Amino acid sequence: MKIHPKYKEGAFYLWRWQDKDIERPRDLKEQLIEIIWQGFSGVVVTMNDSCYEFTHPKVTRAIAQASQWAKIRKIQFWLHADPRQASRSFIQKTEERTQNLLMTSRMGMDISNRNINKTKIRKKRFELKYKYVQTYPTAAIQEKALFFEPWGIERIFAFQSENGAVLRHTIRDITSLSHFHANVLNGTCTVFGNLNVPDGEEWWVIAFPKFNTNLYDFAGRESNDLLHHFAEDLFDACTHLEGITWGLDDTGYILNPGCIPVSLSIYNSFKSEKGYNIQDVLYGLVLEMDDGSHVPVRHQFYTLLMDTIFNAQKDFYKMVHSYFRDIRTGFHYSIQNKNNTQSVVAGLADPWSALESVHLPFIKIDYGKNKTTDTFLAGLILSKSLGLFSKNDKVLTTVSDIKNNPKIIDHITNLMALYSVEWLIETDRSGKTNNIKSKNKTMLSYLQDINQVNTKIDQVHDITRHKFPESDVAFVHPVHTIMCSNFEESNSMISTIYKLISQLTRHHIQMDVISPDLLAKGRLSINGLKIFHRIYKTVIYPYPTIMKPDVLEIVSAIDKAGFPILLGGSKPTMTTEGKKIPHIFQNSFDPKKKDLSSFIKKGIRPLFEAPTKSLATTILQQEGPLFMVCPADPGEKVEGEIIGKNFRFDVPKSNKLQIIRFTDNKPQYLI
């Protein structure tokens, strides 16, 4: 038996188990040894490729055996236990399922103004047609797809509009006057009826057809109680777990674009917490009202979805902690190149709010096509920031859509090290390698020179100890504006924000991305704005159109104190409660402009100067500050100087990551 000569602090490996692995656990031992030999420091085990539910006794036995082997060999063993995978079993036992409301004319379309299905009343008659699919592929459910069954109409409303906004006082519930028909063979639904309206007046109709799905209900108490038996079985089998995590790419609701999740439990929770039925104001989720009343509706509903998911997760983890006292927990969040607002309707609008109930985040980022995209670089900054405010000061990040290009793989390794983001490497769902170039055709085919990658990660860890780099700028992600705006605007905002984060980072501005709620916890002091253990000299807040009252309070206090806070893209106009903001704030920048002069005029400067076309960070250590530099794009080379207030030294020409410690008034070139 070969055992790696040194236990490394390498990457984590997403270990996908298939049926044959669960049925023959001894094969898992050989795979684990190979994983250790390749230099990985931990595994995250998932059953999403298997036909077995993760709660099956055979799975429990395999988990217990593999975890014991991992403990002996000193490799971290995390379990990906996703209740969504066992949805069918939960629904059969509890009848608690998630339903979807279709907002667009056909499934798969973004919920944007041009796609929302509405029609004019003509000759006192209306008709709305919908195209649906029976399945939507997803690896999170055991059946490998979300299934849709037409189940009727939730609500239908008639209304008038003016200047693009609905006149709220004209809205009428006409559900009782409408009819619903589904043609399952053609995958179509039709809503139709007759309505008397005054001659010469223009009236519109919008409907919300409802579909049953095979996804269990996060808000269902009976379903979540069933997880207690799973935790008990793991304990009885003498399982050794360092951590347990819920989710894969995302933790939230699985949705075909164009849909939003509902359930009886969601409806009841909303009525209990808010005092009214969300069914009566569904129009506010997709239509904008002339009086702004859609803002509190959207904020309350999407916040409830988040609370539903994170509370279910929190209860599950609390249950697991009762058996495994020292176990760590995580949640999953995906940063995408497009359709970014899908996370809002999936119940993940504010990933920072999940950090209170878990130890660390698992982030997935799309890399893009053979270059460092704005989304990827911004995603790394977001990953670093979420890890910074987590309980364990740690983040595990998966990078998807990587081509088998050694330059790109090396570059990603450098950037991960630059921001102390730990890499969770995955293979595709067939067992063949995805972001991994294979040496042979087995399940254990890892990316070319993976041992060298893990050796490099281990080498960097010995120096940086994965401490996150310094930042002096707080960049506020406008979560509430994104939640409450129409989806077309929100997608545009997110895309612009990612580009701005990337642009500022390429100009060596060191920043942390925070949520408005984190900003509200800040306290001004003589040294700057203190948020937990960080102190910031400047705040950048793009698109602050809609704010929670406590966020407005801290923004007003910061502005009144003369502290540098830069608002751009729009001015604060309304609170999440639907009240207009009377304060007058100045716009400092246009997020869409590539020119950064407006930031420079407001005093935003890099912590230190670094070579052009490079990315650079600094980590403060007792032995002296570390400076880390690498090219901003793969295959490039950088050279120049690092210049600060009391230091100046050369950066040799290189296409690699360089780590330099400045001590005793001279640089030490460590890597």
Side-chain angles (χ1 to χ4, degrees), residues 60 103 162 233 235 349 360 365 387 395 412 439 569 627 667:
T60 302
M103 305 294 194
E162 187 176 278
D233 290 343
F235 180 78
L360 68 146
I365 311 172
V395 60
I412 290 174
K439 295 178 180 178
F627 294 90

Side-chain angles (χ1 to χ4, degrees), residues 605-643:
R605 299 285 190 279
L607 281 173
F608 56 91
E609 295 182 34
T612 57
K613 297 185 178 181
S614 74
L615 297 174
T617 59
T618 183
I619 296 174
L620 300 183
Q621 292 185 341
Q622 188 175 2
E623 305 94 320
L626 290 176
F627 294 90
M628 305 173 69
V629 187
C630 75
D633 296 298
E636 299 293 327
K637 294 183 179 182
V638 297
E639 67 175 328
E641 291 181 307
I642 287 181
I643 305 172

Side-chain angles (χ1 to χ4, degrees), residues 17-18 35 38 48 71-72 82 90 96 158 170 184 223 227 229-230 233-234 251 256 273 289 493 539 593 599:
W17 289 3
Q18 299 178 333
I35 289 168
Q38 294 291 350
N48 278 44
K71 183 182 179 182
I72 293 172
D82 192 339
F90 288 171
E96 295 174 337
T170 67
V184 179
S223 296
L227 293 170
H229 300 294
F230 171 66
D233 290 343
L234 284 178
T251 297
N256 196 343
E273 292 183 21
M289 305 295 110
M493 284 183 217
V539 175
K593 281 190 176 181
F599 294 97

Side-chain angles (χ1 to χ4, degrees), residues 123-292:
K123 297 181 181 181
K124 300 182 180 182
R125 178 178 171 80
F126 62 88
E127 182 176 284
L128 288 160
K129 293 186 177 182
Y130 298 85
K131 183 72 176 175
Y132 74 94
V133 296
Q134 289 191 339
T135 58
Y136 175 69
T138 173
I141 298 178
Q142 188 186 29
E143 293 95 328
K144 306 306 177 192
L146 194 64
F147 179 80
F148 300 97
E149 177 189 16
W151 204 246
I153 286 290
E154 193 65 79
R155 287 290 192 278
I156 305 176
F157 301 97
F159 62 91
Q160 289 183 288
S161 63
E162 187 176 278
N163 299 324
V166 173
L167 302 176
R168 191 185 178 209
H169 70 275
T170 67
I171 297 174
R172 297 165 57 183
D173 187 334
I174 59 170
T175 309
S176 61
L177 304 175
S178 308
H179 306 277
F180 173 80
H181 175 261
N183 187 323
V184 179
L185 286 176
N186 294 335
T188 58
C189 296
T190 306
V191 178
F192 60 96
N194 297 289
L195 183 66
N196 290 320
V197 296
D199 292 336
E201 292 186 2
E202 187 176 83
W203 283 79
W204 294 79
V205 171
I206 188 169
F208 298 90
K210 182 166 58 177
F211 297 81
N212 277 342
T213 75
N214 56 333
L215 177 67
Y216 99 105
D217 183 9
F218 286 97
R221 176 51 58 185
E222 291 184 41
S223 296
N224 291 322
D225 287 345
L226 290 175
L227 293 170
H228 183 276
H229 300 294
F230 171 66
E232 186 176 30
D233 290 343
L234 284 178
F235 180 78
D236 290 343
C238 299
T239 307
H240 297 278
L241 298 176
E242 269 74 34
I244 192 165
T245 180
W246 173 337
L248 189 58
D249 296 344
D250 277 322
T251 297
Y253 289 95
I254 304 165
L255 297 163
N256 196 343
C259 299
I260 64 169
V262 295
S263 69
L264 180 60
S265 298
I266 289 174
Y267 286 152
N268 290 340
S269 296
F270 194 94
K271 176 67 180 295
S272 175
E273 292 183 21
K274 309 306 177 185
Y276 67 95
N277 292 318
I278 184 63
Q279 301 98 305
D280 296 336
V281 292
L282 284 172
Y283 52 81
L285 295 178
V286 289
L287 301 175
E288 298 196 4
M289 305 295 110
D290 60 333
D291 60 356

